[in-house]
Amino acid sequence: MDSLKSKILKRANLLEENAEYLEKKIKDISLIVSSVISNGGKLMFCGNGGSAAECQHMSAEYCATLDHKKPRPGMASISLTTDSSFLTAWTNDFGYEKVFARQVETIGNKGDLLFCYSTSGNSENICEAAKSAKEQKIKVIGFTGNHSSMKLEELCDELFKSPSYETPVIQEIHSIVGHEICSEVEEKLFF
């Protein structure tokens, strides 16, 4: 069994080994986000479980501010995981497959951006949301693990594959990369 220290160092090594890939993806995605915001679009986020929590977390960073010591104007952002009345009504009546697609269909507009979080890259409701976005000319950015044969991959304008197969590590790296993307966007647009 690995010691706690070795588990921590394993994560640090993973980040160090993939630093160039992470930097490239952060820069590429931040350009897309900056363009969408500059052109009056909004950000939408969807995911399940821990990824749903990450969606709420990242949406809040854009709408509020990444660092309260560096206030800036808000950016239009919404997590599609938060409306419990809609989520429970829709899934009770129609099932879970199109729970996010329906929201993208009704509140999304051409020029917006949808962030799709799926550690497996194969969550049906996330893929359906991405399909709905593509139909409406909404850009799609995927956040997945380092798996092959992912349905979500073909639906994305840009894809970040966390360099891990372990769900907790995938999600931790999503959070790190998400913060850095938001920081880059703030620097480009406000500072």
Side-chain angles (χ1 to χ4, degrees):
M1 178 183 260
D2 289 340
S3 71
L4 182 56
K5 183 178 179 182
S6 70
K7 289 178 183 178
I8 292 167
L9 290 174
K10 182 179 173 185
R11 285 170 163 86
N13 290 336
L14 187 62
L15 291 170
E16 185 174 8
E17 291 165 6
N18 291 280
E20 286 183 25
Y21 169 74
L22 299 176
E23 181 182 38
K24 180 181 182 335
K25 287 298 183 174
I26 289 165
K27 287 181 176 180
D28 291 348
I29 294 170
S30 69
L31 286 173
I32 295 169
V33 177
S34 296
S35 175
V36 166
I37 296 297
S38 293
N39 290 312
K42 71 178 162 298
L43 311 178
M44 297 177 288
F45 292 79
C46 64
N48 299 300
S51 294
E54 186 62 16
C55 289
Q56 293 173 47
H57 171 194
M58 287 314 306
S59 181
E61 302 289 25
Y62 284 97
C63 192
T65 188
L66 190 59
D67 180 352
H68 73 278
K69 294 178 183 172
K70 292 171 68 176
R72 46 98 175 141
M75 292 180 257
S77 181
I78 184 169
S79 174
L80 305 180
T81 64
T82 58
D83 185 342
S84 60
S85 295
F86 168 76
L87 295 173
T88 55
W90 183 267
T91 56
N92 182 61
D93 294 342
F94 302 104
Y96 205 61
E97 186 178 287
K98 296 201 177 198
V99 68
F100 298 128
R102 178 61 163 204
Q103 292 178 87
V104 171
E105 173 190 316
T106 56
I107 66 172
N109 298 301
K110 181 179 177 182
D112 288 345
L113 172 61
L114 176 67
F115 282 90
C116 292
Y117 285 78
S118 172
T119 57
S120 71
N122 290 311
S123 303
E124 278 303 317
N125 61 342
I126 303 302
C127 291
E128 288 296 323
K131 288 176 191 172
S132 179
K134 299 307 283 180
E135 289 169 6
Q136 296 181 74
K137 308 262 189 290
I138 294 170
K139 289 191 181 299
V140 177
I141 295 176
F143 275 68
T144 67
N146 196 22
H147 310 292
S148 57
S149 303
M150 295 183 296
K151 296 176 192 172
L152 184 59
E153 189 165 7
E154 62 195 47
L155 299 167
C156 294
D157 295 284
E158 187 70 51
L159 179 69
F160 172 71
K161 286 182 161 186
S162 184
S164 178
Y165 302 99
E166 301 173 44
T167 298
V169 178
I170 292 168
Q171 292 174 334
E172 290 162 10
I173 295 174
H174 284 176
S175 190
I176 291 167
V177 169
H179 278 149
E180 292 304 323
I181 292 167
C182 186
S183 178
E184 287 286 306
V185 171
E186 288 186 340
E187 288 297 325
K188 282 177 182 29
L189 299 183
F190 304 112
F191 303 123

